[in-house]
């Protein structure tokens, strides 16, 4: 699974926690919607190679909380994957 | 003007001629009812992601269509024919003009509409956007 790009605005709530001396500090990279970053406005169901990056091993659709996709783009990806599945371009599941 | 995409997955055992015959037949049905086939995209034989009717391959064709709204009534007929044709494993019609229009509106002025395929240049699938919006 391809991780979202490292670039993008790094500001926001999920930075390292400063100051808290005893508390463990978590470094959580801020997730960025790849489609927003790249100004992608249309997701095509024929782009199998790219859609494959948005399905998990068992061919489930990669959830938004992992991929960081914006809601709008996640919907586009979701629709594209479902169309591709119908045409047997992508699997429904793997056994 | 509306644009559509009609994808057909056909039996891999068809010969090239039979495949042409099948697409021509479909195209005729469309043009006879006022549709226009703008572009045809053939992927040839391709492995299916899962078996359909115990077949593991399919022949893929994509027809890019254009028509006035009143001609859209041809789809029930075309789809019925495809459904009844046992050489056709799967088909899918998608209306694309609305999505493309939205995409064009959102794109930065003066810049082409960026589609999914443009994310990564290591995967150069042909860009599938028509400027017919």
């Amino acid at each position: 699974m391809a991780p979202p790009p490292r670039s993008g605005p790094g500001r926001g709530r999920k930075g390292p926690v400063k100051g808290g001396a005893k508390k463990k500090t978590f470094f959580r990279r801020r997730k960025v919607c790849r489609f927003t970053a790249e100004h992608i406005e249309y997701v095509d169901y024929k782009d199998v190679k790219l859609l494959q990056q948005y399905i998990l091993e068992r061919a489930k659709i990669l959830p938004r909380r992992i991929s960081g996709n914006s809601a709008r783009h996640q919907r586009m990806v979701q629709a594209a994957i479902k169309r591709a599945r119908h045409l047997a371009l992508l699997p429904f599941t793997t056994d | 003007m509306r644009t559509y995409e009609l994808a057909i997955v056909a039996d891999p055992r068809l010969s090239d001629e039979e495949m042409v015959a099948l697409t021509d037949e479909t195209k005729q049905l469309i043009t006879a009812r006022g549709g226009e086939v703008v572009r045809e995209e053939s992927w040839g034989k391709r492995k299916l992601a899962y078996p359909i009717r115990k077949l593991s391959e399919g022949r893929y064709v994509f027809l890019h269509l254009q028509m006035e709204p009143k001609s859209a009534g041809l789809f029930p007929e075309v789809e019925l024919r495809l459904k009844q044709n046992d050489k056709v494993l799967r088909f899918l019609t998608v209306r694309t003009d609305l999505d493309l229009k939205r995409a064009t509106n959102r794109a930065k002025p003066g810049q082409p509409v960026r589609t999914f395929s443009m994310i990564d240049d290591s995967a150069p699938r042909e860009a599938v956007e028509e400027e017919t919006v």
Side-chain angles (χ1 to χ4, degrees), chain A residues 38 42 44 46 85 87-88, chain B residues 5 49-50 60 114 116 128:
Chain A
E38 303 251 2
Y42 180 64
D44 191 14
K46 298 195 290 310
R85 279 177 177 170
L87 295 173
Chain B
E5 250 177 68
Y50 52 89
Y60 285 79
R114 288 172 60 81
F116 197 24
V128 275

Side-chain angles (χ1 to χ4, degrees), chain A residues 34-35 38-51 53-54 72 77 83 85-93, chain B residues 5 7 9 41 43 46 48-50 52 60 62 90-92 94 96 99 103 106 108 114-117 119 122-123 125 128:
Chain A
R34 195 176 167 202
F35 300 92
E38 303 251 2
H39 300 291
I40 297 300
E41 303 295 353
Y42 180 64
V43 177
D44 191 14
Y45 64 91
K46 298 195 290 310
D47 283 332
V48 180
K49 223 170 169 177
L50 288 157
L51 288 174
Q53 300 172 7
Y54 287 91
R72 200 167 69 83
V77 170
R83 285 172 178 175
R85 279 177 177 170
H86 174 69
L87 295 173
L89 294 172
L90 290 179
F92 281 97
T93 181
Chain B
E5 250 177 68
V9 187
E41 196 181 325
W43 286 8
R46 195 178 189 291
L48 300 175
Y50 52 89
I52 303 175
Y60 285 79
F62 300 88
R90 287 289 155 89
F91 62 87
L92 176 73
V94 178
T96 49
D99 286 341
R106 294 187 66 102
K108 286 185 188 153
R114 288 172 60 81
T115 60
F116 197 24
S117 53
I119 286 189
S122 71
R125 272 245 160 275
V128 275

